[in-house]
Amino acid sequence: MTKDITHQGYPKIVTVVGAHHDGRTNFMTAAWSTYLSHQPLLFGVSIAPERFTHDLIKNSEEFNCNFLPYSETEKIHKIGRVSGHDGDKIKKLNLEIEKGHSIKTPYLQSAYAVIECKLHKSVKAGDHTFFIGEISDAFGHEEAFTDQGIVNLKKVDPTLYLGSNTYVTTRQD
């Protein structure tokens, strides 16, 4: 094998990270996120310092991760391409938001699942900051999950990112 797939090539679940501070709310698309621990319940996301959302998280010490279905791919992509530095992305993209459950940051109405976090720790990881959040709430649309709390793939098509602006889902129709 000789193909270099260092930055691409493997599916990563897409999340839209939300943050709010000092009257400003922003969302950004991210593919580098993961659960980290059961005790305490930790979730992390890696964000470059030049992203507007980075400083909102740093200053507010909270964030959320919104998981949108594959049918929302165009919205997910636009959220990742329009900068919050240039104005109100929520108005510009007509994003519908709801008040957060356990944090001040609102979440995206079209998310089938949301994880709300209070900042536990941030770690410089090369050219990114890895924000580690303690999960303060996690919720989703009832029909999107089985009785065991697992994403119901008969009802939801999760969005995966392959790199190079390529999105796919788990459905194999």
Side-chain angles (χ1 to χ4, degrees), residues 51-84:
R51 303 290 179 227
F52 184 62
T53 302
H54 181 280
D55 287 344
L56 292 178
I57 294 172
K58 191 173 171 185
N59 292 321
S60 69
E61 299 187 344
E62 66 176 40
F63 62 93
N64 62 31
C65 290
N66 300 263
F67 297 89
L68 279 66
Y70 185 71
S71 61
E72 298 283 324
T73 300
E74 185 176 334
K75 180 188 295 182
I76 293 166
H77 187 72
K78 285 180 180 177
I79 289 169
R81 294 296 176 250
V82 173
S83 175

Side-chain angles (χ1 to χ4, degrees), residues 4-158:
D4 180 6
I5 60 167
T6 306
H7 301 290
Q8 320 275 358
Y10 48 91
K12 300 162 280 259
I13 192 147
V14 174
T15 187
V16 176
V17 180
H20 173 84
H21 179 70
D22 200 23
R24 297 282 315 264
T25 301
N26 195 59
F27 294 93
M28 66 163 278
T29 304
W32 294 348
S33 67
T34 188
Y35 279 91
L36 297 164
S37 169
H38 288 291
Q39 292 295 327
L41 193 52
L42 300 177
F43 191 85
V45 63
S46 187
I47 299 175
E50 62 269 15
R51 303 290 179 227
F52 184 62
T53 302
H54 181 280
D55 287 344
L56 292 178
I57 294 172
K58 191 173 171 185
N59 292 321
S60 69
E61 299 187 344
E62 66 176 40
F63 62 93
N64 62 31
C65 290
N66 300 263
F67 297 89
L68 279 66
Y70 185 71
S71 61
E72 298 283 324
T73 300
E74 185 176 334
K75 180 188 295 182
I76 293 166
H77 187 72
K78 285 180 180 177
I79 289 169
R81 294 296 176 250
V82 173
S83 175
H85 288 294
D86 299 333
D88 188 340
K89 191 184 294 191
I90 295 167
K91 285 183 183 174
K92 192 178 286 187
L93 298 178
N94 296 314
L95 301 177
E96 296 179 5
I97 59 174
E98 296 284 341
K99 187 176 189 274
H101 289 194
S102 66
I103 60 176
K104 293 178 183 174
T105 301
Y107 64 92
L108 293 173
Q109 199 175 66
S110 58
Y112 65 85
V114 178
I115 298 173
E116 294 183 336
C117 295
K118 294 184 180 171
L119 191 62
H120 176 77
K121 185 177 190 176
S122 61
V123 178
K124 184 168 174 31
D127 62 355
H128 279 60
T129 301
F130 194 68
F131 291 105
I132 301 169
E134 186 163 353
I135 297 175
S136 56
D137 201 358
F139 51 92
H141 294 279
E142 190 172 329
E143 67 276 3
F145 294 88
T146 66
D147 292 340
Q148 294 79 30
I150 298 169
V151 173
N152 185 342
L153 295 179
K154 292 178 182 173
K155 302 281 184 175
V156 175
D157 294 324

